[in-house]
Amino acid sequence: MLVESIAFALVGLIVGAAALLALPAYFPAGRGLTLGTALVSALLSGVITHFALDGRFPAASIGIAAVASALLTSVLARPDLAAGRQPAHRHRPHRAGAHRRQRHA
């Protein structure tokens, strides 16, 4: 279990570092938050998977830890704040009198 825990921690750090290196503008939060989220999510999901699979498939546990770490790290991504991108608004800006319906005679 100790070797697997070290592997889970390394997977989490690799996922977090890859996210920061590949898309640095998407993660405006601190680097520590991104790396910490990746690390903790890999450790927790790896330990849960290890016990769920009864320790029989360590490669599957490491793979699932990598996927879970990537998914939870992606929650921190903010593509709307990336440089050079316009924020996507759900509604158009209001114009004066736009809410009134005009009748045509």
Side-chain angles (χ1 to χ4, degrees):
M1 182 67 189
L2 178 64
V3 174
E4 286 182 7
S5 297
I6 293 171
F8 298 146
L10 287 175
V11 164
L13 290 175
I14 289 170
V15 167
L20 286 172
L21 289 175
L23 301 167
Y26 280 33
F27 295 96
R31 293 175 191 247
L33 179 64
T34 304
L35 288 173
T37 300
L39 175 67
V40 170
S41 62
L43 283 170
L44 285 176
S45 62
V47 169
I48 290 170
T49 305
H50 173 79
F51 286 116
L53 298 177
D54 202 22
R56 293 183 188 151
F57 306 104
S61 297
I62 292 171
I64 292 171
V67 170
S69 179
L71 288 174
L72 289 175
T73 302
S74 71
V75 171
L76 298 175
R78 294 289 309 268
D80 58 332
L81 297 180
R85 292 190 57 146
Q86 295 292 329
H89 295 289
R90 296 174 71 158
H91 304 288
R92 294 183 181 162
H94 293 286
R95 294 177 301 174
H99 64 279
R100 296 185 194 132
R101 232 179 220 200
Q102 296 177 359
R103 294 185 185 188
H104 297 290

